[in-house]
Amino acid sequence: MKVLFVVPYPEGQAASQRYRVEQWLPLLQEQDIKYRLAPFWSQSAWNVLYKPQHTWRKITGLLTGFMNRMLLLRHLPVYDFVFVHREATPLGPPWFEWVAAKVFRKRIIFDFDDAIWLPNTTAENRWAAKLKWHHKTAQICRWSYKVSCGNGYLRNYALKYNAAAVLLPSVLDTEHRYNEHKEQHTQEVVMGWIGSHSTLPYLQLVEPVLQRLERKYSFRLLVIADKAPQLQLRSLEFKAWQRETEVQDLLQLNIGLMPLPDTEWAKGKCAFKALQYMALGIPAVVSGVGANIEAVANGCTGYPCATEQEWYERLEALLLKPELRTSMGAEGQVWVRKHYSLQAHSQTFLSLFSS
């Protein structure tokens, strides 16, 4: 069997691709399944894509990506499956997916972990937003052999267009990577958040809560991201995200945060930050929105919160009680291994390539 992975990003650069595609590749090797990874963006284009200026490098990277997609079509006959993560091209209609499905009659596996049929404009992608062609998500679902969805909300959307929509949560390798445990009896308490520039603004939702806590308690707020946050907090510390140090950076945290707005876009999120925290024995305090409600067992592995006062009370309790953090952290590790680990869902992933 041969599988072509049509992916947006250079290997090792984006969380969605690393955890929904790249971490599964060793499993395919074990099954003697051959594969090829075909990114749209080159590494040089990716390096400047979300930075100001560099207009011509971005345009050149975009045109090169489209050209590479055209050239990729001639290789389609040798593959049994074409696995499309999110989209084959970032702008315009789904011409590549249509050609693969309708002309070459390839079995497409369409995978997504966000509500990508909804507009989600940020400062970094405003210039391209009008060309995003969001309604192509439904079209690709219809043409696909199977659809792999990161949570129930996404699967319910896909089922409207394809009965072969499968729930495959975003998962973690709890045996080889997320296999350490946070010691909670520490001299200082560190609350923290991990993510990218696209979700960084969500931290502002709990900024007032953190300001209130700062006036009463001593703690450190560590933000691990690809861009520094703009928050008025004296406890704030920024750490640039690096793949090599990601787990060790997370192990500095005693409490993990995942605020989200109550929007349709946020309901498509797969609670991944919360899973990262819990897998390492770190209680997760999250907004009670979408997949967060299922992923975080209330009062057991963390707390989903609905109001600002709930956020304050839950964080205050965890700040003051290391034994509570310890028990929740231990429960969280067991929970993730059972429900959200690579090992628990390996057969679900392999079933995507079966008849």
Side-chain angles (χ1 to χ4, degrees):
M1 186 188 296
K2 292 184 177 180
V3 181
L4 176 64
F5 286 94
V6 178
V7 296
Y9 317 113
E11 189 169 357
Q13 299 303 307
S16 67
Q17 185 172 300
R18 285 189 296 120
Y19 288 103
R20 294 199 64 81
V21 176
E22 294 168 21
Q23 74 169 346
W24 291 110
L25 300 181
L27 179 62
L28 296 185
Q29 291 176 328
E30 291 174 9
Q31 302 296 316
D32 199 29
I33 297 173
K34 309 299 181 186
Y35 63 84
R36 174 185 172 185
L37 209 64
F40 180 90
W41 295 105
S42 67
Q43 186 63 59
S44 60
W46 176 254
N47 289 341
V48 300
L49 188 61
Y50 293 105
K51 294 180 179 178
Q53 303 176 336
H54 303 286
T55 303
W56 285 111
R57 285 181 65 182
K58 294 174 185 178
I59 293 173
T60 301
L62 182 68
L63 295 177
T64 300
F66 275 105
M67 180 60 69
N68 288 337
R69 285 289 183 257
M70 291 287 291
L71 296 174
L72 190 59
L73 291 174
R74 61 187 177 139
H75 297 288
L76 288 184
V78 304
Y79 292 99
D80 300 288
F81 293 92
V82 177
F83 187 108
V84 178
H85 174 57
R86 296 178 72 96
E87 58 193 0
T89 59
L91 303 179
W95 59 270
F96 182 93
E97 293 90 339
W98 185 87
V99 172
K102 301 299 184 180
V103 178
F104 288 91
R105 301 291 180 183
K106 291 298 167 182
R107 289 178 286 183
I108 292 179
I109 298 168
F110 182 32
D111 173 78
F112 56 96
D113 61 344
D114 271 320
I116 55 176
W117 64 90
L118 298 172
N120 184 48
T121 304
T122 65
E124 288 81 3
N125 71 2
R126 191 182 299 112
W127 66 275
K130 294 180 181 179
L131 302 174
K132 284 293 288 181
W133 211 277
H134 296 284
H135 57 281
K136 68 183 176 183
T137 306
Q139 295 172 301
I140 303 171
C141 285
R142 288 192 187 99
W143 304 332
S144 294
Y145 175 65
K146 292 181 182 179
V147 184
S148 168
C149 308
N151 65 36
Y153 175 78
L154 303 177
R155 182 172 181 262
N156 287 337
Y157 170 84
L159 282 171
K160 293 189 289 186
Y161 309 101
N162 191 323
V166 176
L167 174 61
L168 180 64
S170 295
V171 297
L172 297 163
D173 185 348
T174 56
E175 288 186 8
H176 303 105
R177 184 165 170 80
Y178 285 80
N179 57 358
E180 298 190 53
H181 179 79
K182 171 66 180 180
E183 168 54 53
Q184 288 289 354
H185 287 79
T186 54
Q187 285 190 340
E188 67 171 349
V189 176
V190 180
M191 290 193 282
W193 180 93
I194 188 170
S196 70
H197 60 272
S198 63
T199 51
L200 199 56
Y202 298 159
L203 271 173
Q204 295 170 8
L205 297 172
V206 292
E207 186 175 10
V209 174
L210 297 172
Q211 289 171 340
R212 285 176 62 193
L213 288 166
E214 276 186 339
R215 291 194 286 270
K216 193 172 180 181
Y217 303 105
S218 174
F219 61 88
R220 186 156 57 96
L221 176 69
L222 178 61
V223 174
I224 306 163
D226 57 352
K227 181 180 178 181
Q230 301 297 313
L231 298 170
Q232 301 303 310
L233 295 164
R234 65 173 184 271
S235 59
L236 177 63
E237 179 183 328
F238 169 64
K239 175 75 166 62
W241 176 87
Q242 297 181 70
R243 183 182 184 183
E244 296 75 19
T245 63
E246 181 178 45
V247 171
Q248 291 307 312
D249 292 340
L250 281 169
L251 284 167
Q252 294 185 54
L253 309 186
N254 298 88
I255 305 165
L257 310 179
M258 189 179 175
L260 282 177
D262 191 2
T263 63
E264 292 302 303
W265 174 262
K267 289 175 185 176
K269 291 292 179 185
C270 294
F272 193 69
K273 295 174 180 57
L275 298 179
Q276 288 179 285
Y277 306 144
M278 294 186 296
L280 295 171
I282 302 164
V285 184
V286 305
S287 294
V289 175
N292 283 358
I293 299 171
E294 286 184 20
V296 180
N298 189 23
C300 182
T301 69
Y303 297 112
C305 301
T307 66
E308 189 174 295
Q309 186 60 27
E310 278 190 25
W311 271 94
Y312 183 88
E313 292 173 359
R314 301 315 189 199
L315 290 175
E316 182 181 48
L318 289 167
L319 274 168
L320 296 175
K321 300 176 181 178
E323 66 280 1
L324 178 61
R325 300 196 301 267
T326 298
S327 63
M328 281 193 164
E331 292 286 348
Q333 286 195 300
V334 173
W335 176 262
V336 171
R337 287 173 189 151
K338 184 176 180 180
H339 298 287
Y340 294 97
S341 69
L342 191 76
Q343 293 71 26
H345 289 276
S346 59
Q347 290 307 310
T348 305
F349 178 76
L350 290 175
S351 71
L352 297 173
F353 306 99
S354 64
S355 56

